Amino acid sequence: MNYFPNGDEEIALIKFIAKFQYLSVNDAKYFFSTKKYYRKRITSLVEKKYLRRTKLNLVLDELGVEYAKLFNFEYTPINRNKKYLSRLLYISNLGAFYHKCSTVDFTPSFAIKDKEMFTITARKFIGILNINGIDYLSYHISSDHDNKYIMSVIYDIQKEHKYKNIIVLIDDIKRINIQDFTFGNNQVLVIEDTEENREKLKYLNSINWPKIIERYYKNKVYIAEYNFCDYTDYQNKYISFFYFLDTEKINRIKYFLRENKNKNADIICNSELKQKIQKELPLARFIVVDLEDYIDKERNVYD
């Protein structure tokens, strides 16, 4: 038997678990190019004592810990507090999903170095999603979290001073009031946590908005200096883009329309977002666009 990991994919898996502590067996598929045989490869790593199964999850076994330390992998000792297990498994699941993504880099909360600013127990954030070089402090609200937890997330964002771009992944977006998630930040993106939306998130900052402007406005508008819109003709057109639900931008547009009764706002978004935003901005003019047509992307496909 070859007692070393078999190739880069297995090494990447060991490296990931060394950092994230846990990995669901089902999430191991994100590390292998073919789904067909990955369970056999997991079994092989378990037999070699690189990995150990704990129910439906994988952790490093004794040889895996030695291997990680020998090659100086980022290593996080296992947190055995059952109170935090579901949180750690969610963080691991998110990290595994973006493992091979070139546009998204996820840093889990427990790996952030500034311990004075961030502590796992006191703060509710799950980590930082860096998307095309822009950092988003990220939170998760699951179906198991009660209203008290939602209020603690709101309080956590209120007292945040360093990060002005926020992502809130939520299992059921209908549970929250959009107005409760406005803090005066740059962006607060409230996103229903589905696989489709996680895939879309990869291209958050890759949309060719100028091409859309050219098509619908014939380049007769300009990049805006205002914070409530993206383009304007400085007369009658105030145009705002939405790829996800941005509560801060909605609030800024509301304020503009309230203070300027004779003005209107153009909203460019997809059909699904229109239904959500129209409830908040019923007087806006909507241009529904299939934004997928304006993104250059390479999708990760798992066989």
Side-chain angles (χ1 to χ4, degrees):
M1 179 187 289
N2 177 9
Y3 280 93
F4 291 97
N6 185 18
D8 292 340
E9 292 178 334
E10 291 187 7
I11 293 172
L13 179 67
I14 294 168
K15 192 173 184 179
F16 180 90
I17 297 175
K19 178 178 179 179
F20 282 82
Q21 307 173 54
Y22 295 90
L23 180 71
S24 166
V25 172
N26 292 330
D27 290 339
K29 64 186 178 186
Y30 296 119
F31 293 83
F32 297 98
S33 53
T34 56
K35 190 176 178 181
K36 190 174 181 181
Y37 299 110
Y38 83 90
R39 290 185 184 274
K40 290 184 178 179
R41 296 177 71 176
I42 295 297
T43 299
S44 174
L45 287 169
V46 170
E47 290 173 350
K48 295 175 183 177
K49 295 197 177 298
Y50 280 93
L51 302 179
R52 177 167 54 86
R53 286 190 176 95
T54 61
K55 296 184 179 179
L56 297 176
N57 304 310
L58 298 168
V59 298
L60 291 189
D61 204 348
E62 53 188 283
L63 197 57
V65 173
E66 288 182 23
Y67 187 82
K69 291 181 176 179
L70 178 65
F71 288 97
N72 202 28
F73 293 163
E74 189 172 347
Y75 175 66
T76 308
I78 292 178
N79 184 332
R80 300 185 185 278
N81 189 335
K82 292 182 180 179
K83 181 181 176 182
Y84 296 112
L85 181 59
S86 61
R87 170 188 171 92
L88 291 171
L89 287 174
Y90 179 83
I91 288 173
S92 171
N93 169 262
L94 193 65
F97 185 88
Y98 291 116
H99 165 65
K100 290 185 177 180
C101 181
S102 61
T103 59
V104 179
D105 182 59
F106 177 58
T107 303
S109 56
F110 53 78
I112 293 171
K113 304 302 182 186
D114 190 348
K115 297 299 183 182
E116 292 183 4
M117 181 174 293
F118 299 106
T119 61
I120 295 174
T121 53
R123 299 295 302 268
K124 300 302 180 186
F125 75 100
I126 56 168
I128 295 169
L129 284 164
N130 181 289
I131 306 173
N132 289 120
I134 299 175
D135 284 339
Y136 295 83
L137 193 66
S138 301
Y139 296 80
H140 175 234
I141 300 172
S142 76
S143 55
D144 295 326
H145 287 138
D146 57 15
N147 289 334
K148 183 179 178 182
Y149 186 87
I150 294 175
M151 291 306 299
S152 70
V153 169
I154 291 170
Y155 176 70
D156 205 78
I157 299 173
Q158 283 175 338
K159 68 181 183 182
E160 172 56 41
H161 299 296
K162 181 176 180 180
Y163 293 93
K164 296 301 181 183
N165 297 303
I166 309 291
I167 286 175
V168 180
L169 294 164
I170 183 166
D171 288 1
D172 181 4
I173 204 167
K174 294 190 289 293
R175 291 188 63 197
I176 68 164
N177 183 343
I178 285 176
Q179 287 304 306
D180 290 339
F181 281 79
T182 55
F183 310 97
N185 287 327
N186 181 25
Q187 298 177 77
V188 174
L189 305 179
V190 178
I191 302 171
E192 203 146 58
D193 190 19
T194 64
E195 187 163 338
E196 179 184 2
N197 280 340
R198 286 190 186 186
E199 185 68 27
K200 285 177 60 179
L201 200 53
K202 296 177 181 180
Y203 311 107
L204 173 62
N205 298 312
S206 303
I207 306 158
N208 193 337
W209 295 113
K211 190 174 181 180
I212 297 173
I213 287 294
E214 181 182 357
R215 176 179 174 184
Y216 289 96
Y217 295 93
K218 309 301 180 187
N219 286 333
K220 294 180 180 178
V221 293
Y222 312 94
I223 295 175
E225 296 176 359
Y226 310 124
N227 68 353
F228 65 90
C229 66
D230 298 287
Y231 279 79
T232 181
D233 64 357
Y234 292 100
Q235 295 179 37
N236 302 310
K237 297 185 185 300
Y238 300 90
I239 305 152
S240 298
F241 306 136
F242 285 84
Y243 186 54
F244 287 113
L245 195 68
D246 184 344
T247 58
E248 297 286 11
K249 186 181 278 189
I250 288 173
N251 194 53
R252 289 194 292 265
I253 295 169
K254 271 187 179 180
Y255 179 81
F256 168 75
L257 293 177
R258 189 165 61 243
E259 297 297 312
N260 298 274
K261 304 289 187 184
N262 61 331
K263 302 292 186 181
N264 205 344
D266 287 6
I267 308 292
I268 298 177
C269 62
N270 63 21
S271 57
E272 181 186 355
L273 267 184
K274 178 187 174 183
Q275 296 176 16
K276 293 182 173 71
I277 298 172
Q278 202 164 36
K279 294 176 182 177
E280 303 295 324
L281 300 170
L283 299 180
R285 172 178 174 254
F286 285 84
I287 299 174
V288 175
V289 177
D290 187 353
L291 298 175
E292 300 290 304
D293 295 339
Y294 294 89
I295 303 173
D296 296 324
K297 57 189 179 181
E298 294 180 10
R299 289 187 177 273
N300 292 326
V301 178
Y302 304 103
D303 302 329

